[in-house]
C-alpha cells in the first residue's frame, strides 16, 4: 500500500503547480512566439512547450521551483524542439539555426537575456538546507557562467539593432550584477545609472525602489531613504513587500533600529515564501539585538 505524501511533499507539489499555472497564464503566448520565431511552426513550438510544462511538474516538486520559471521553460522547450527537428531528419543545420531560437527584435532579445541572467543564478538562491540567499550574499561562482555568456551575447546583439527599450535596460542591470563573478565587486554606480534611465522610460515606482537601493550603495543609506520617502504616498506600494524590505534594510544601515524593526515586521507579514520569511525574521532578530 502506497504511503500518503507528507505535508512537505504536498506543499512542494502545490508550489510547483501554482508556479506552472502562473507561468502558463502570464507567459505562454510569449514563449510560443519566441519558440516559433525561426521555424514558423507554431504547432511544434506548442508541443515542445507542453513537454516543458510536463517536465516542470515532475522536476519542480523534487528540485524546487526555479527563480525564473519562464526562462526554465523556454530553455527546456527549445531543447525539445531541436531534438524534434533532428528526429524528423530536417538536418543539423536547421536545428543549429533554431538553437540560435531568435527574432531580430531588440526587445525580444533583451527579454531573453534578462530571463537567462535570472535563471543563471538559480543554484545560488538557496543553501543546501533550503534557506534563502539574497543576491548580495550569493556566491557568484555558483552562477552559471555559460548561461550568463549567452545572455551577454544576446544583449550585445540587441544593442546593435539600435532600438533601446525596457527589457534591454533591465537585462543590462543584471549584466552589471553578473560582472561580480569576474571582478569580485558590484558596479553600483552603473546600476544606479541604468535604473535612472529605466525610471525615465517607465515612471514605475518599483523601478524607483531599485534606484533608491542602488543609490544607497553609492551615496549612503540616508540618500536611499530620502528616495524611498518620496514614494511613501504611492498607494500601490502599501502592500508591496520589496518596498518594506528596502526600508527595513536602509533603516538598519542608518542605525535606526526601531524604524527598521517596524519595517521588517511589515514585510514579514507580506511575505509568502517560507524561506524568505525565515531570512527576514533573522534580519529582524539582528536589528532587535543591536
Amino acid at each position: 500500500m502506497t504511503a500518503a505524501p507528507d505535508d512537505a511533499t504536498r506543499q512542494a507539489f502545490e508550489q510547483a503547480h501554482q508556479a506552472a499555472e502562473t507561468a502558463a497564464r502570464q507567459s505562454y503566448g510569449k514563449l510560443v512566439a519566441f519558440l516559433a520565431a525561426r521555424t514558423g511552426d507554431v504547432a511544434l513550438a506548442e508541443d515542445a512547450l507542453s513537454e516543458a510544462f510536463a517536465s516542470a511538474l515532475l522536476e519542480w516538486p523534487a528540485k524546487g521551483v526555479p527563480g525564473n520559471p519562464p526562462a526554465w521553460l523556454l530553455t527546456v522547450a527549445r531543447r525539445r524542439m531541436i531534438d524534434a527537428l533532428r528526429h524528423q531528419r530536417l538536418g543539423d543545420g536547421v536545428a543549429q539555426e533554431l538553437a540560435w531560437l531568435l527574432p531580430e527584435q531588440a526587445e525580444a532579445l533583451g527579454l531573453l537575456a534578462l530571463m537567462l541572467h535570472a535563471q543563471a543564478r538559480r543554484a545560488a538562491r538557496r543553501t543546501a538546507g533550503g534557506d534563502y540567499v539574497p543576491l548580495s550574499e550569493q556566491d557568484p561562482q555558483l552562477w552559471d557562467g555559460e548561461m550568463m555568456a549567452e545572455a551577454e551575447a544576446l544583449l550585445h546583439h540587441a544593442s546593435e539593432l539600435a532600438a533601446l527599450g525596457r527589457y534591454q535596460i533591465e537585462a543590462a542591470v543584471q549584466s552589471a550584477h553578473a560582472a561580480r563573478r569576474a571582478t569580485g565587486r558590484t558596479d553600483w554606480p552603473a546600476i544606479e545609472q541604468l535604473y535612472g534611465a529605466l525610471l525615465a522610460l517607465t515612471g514605475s515606482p518599483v523601478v524607483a525602489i531599485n534606484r533608491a537601493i542602488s543609490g544607497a550603495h553609492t551615496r549612503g543609506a540616508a540618500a536611499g531613504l530620502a528616495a524611498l520617502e518620496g514614494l511613501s504616498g504611492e498607494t500601490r506600494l502599501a502592500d508591496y513587500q520589496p518596498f518594506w524590505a528596502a526600508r527595513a534594510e536602509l533603516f538598519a544601515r542608518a542605525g535606526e533600529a526601531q524604524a527598521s524593526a517596524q519595517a521588517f515586521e511589515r514585510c514579514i507579514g507580506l511575505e509568502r515564501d517560507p524561506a524568505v520569511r525565515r531570512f527576514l525574521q533573522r534580519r529582524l532578530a539582528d536589528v532587535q539585538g543591536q
Side-chain angles (χ1 to χ4, degrees):
M1 182 175 181
T2 303
D6 58 24
D7 289 342
T9 301
R10 282 196 297 270
Q11 184 178 25
F13 273 101
E14 289 172 3
Q15 289 176 344
H17 278 263
Q18 183 177 2
E21 288 175 6
T22 300
R25 184 172 61 254
Q26 297 179 351
S27 304
Y28 184 86
K30 193 182 303 179
L31 293 173
V32 169
F34 276 133
L35 291 165
R38 280 297 190 195
T39 65
D41 192 335
V42 175
L44 179 61
E46 289 183 332
D47 287 345
L49 190 55
S50 294
E51 291 183 21
F53 273 103
S55 296
L57 294 177
L58 288 174
E59 293 188 27
W60 292 358
K63 298 181 180 179
V65 177
N68 191 321
W72 189 98
L73 291 164
L74 181 64
T75 300
V76 173
R78 188 168 57 167
R79 290 172 184 159
R80 295 288 192 275
M81 287 189 71
I82 294 169
D83 290 344
L85 288 170
R86 286 175 174 157
H87 182 71
Q88 293 170 13
R89 300 182 182 277
L90 295 181
D92 284 346
V94 175
Q96 186 65 29
E97 181 182 1
L98 175 62
W100 289 101
L101 184 71
L102 299 176
E104 290 297 302
Q105 298 178 9
E107 274 294 81
L109 295 169
L111 176 58
L112 185 52
L114 173 63
M115 295 166 73
L116 288 172
H117 265 306
Q119 179 70 3
R121 295 198 295 266
R122 177 189 175 190
R125 289 194 182 96
R126 294 288 193 273
T127 66
D131 288 333
Y132 169 74
V133 183
L135 176 58
S136 61
E137 298 177 18
Q138 290 175 14
D139 179 357
Q141 298 309 309
L142 295 177
W143 297 344
D144 188 324
E146 183 177 344
M147 191 174 292
M148 285 181 165
E150 183 176 359
E152 290 296 296
L154 292 170
L155 188 56
H156 177 72
H157 184 35
S159 70
E160 295 175 333
L161 300 177
L164 184 64
R166 175 173 187 162
Y167 291 132
Q168 293 167 78
I169 299 175
E170 291 185 4
V173 170
Q174 299 310 313
S175 176
H177 278 296
R180 180 159 67 90
R181 191 173 188 271
T183 66
R185 65 180 184 85
T186 301
D187 190 350
W188 287 111
I191 292 171
E192 183 182 13
Q193 184 176 11
L194 287 165
Y195 274 127
L198 191 57
L199 183 61
L201 182 66
T202 66
S204 166
V206 174
V207 174
I209 293 171
N210 286 297
R211 187 189 185 197
I213 295 170
S214 57
H217 283 278
T218 59
R219 293 177 284 110
L225 285 168
L228 287 179
E229 190 60 32
L231 300 171
S232 58
E234 282 278 355
T235 57
R236 290 174 291 178
L237 299 180
D239 294 324
Y240 187 59
Q241 187 269 358
F243 172 70
W244 294 99
R247 284 174 63 89
E249 291 292 353
L250 294 186
F251 275 130
R253 289 180 56 186
E256 299 185 39
Q258 183 176 357
S260 176
Q262 290 173 346
F264 269 123
E265 288 171 352
R266 176 69 170 152
C267 71
I268 288 169
L270 294 170
E271 181 54 58
R272 299 177 62 184
D273 186 319
V276 177
R277 192 180 302 115
R278 289 195 301 270
F279 169 79
L280 294 170
Q281 288 167 339
R282 290 195 296 270
R283 290 292 296 122
L284 173 59
D286 291 341
V287 168
Q288 290 174 329
Q290 290 180 353

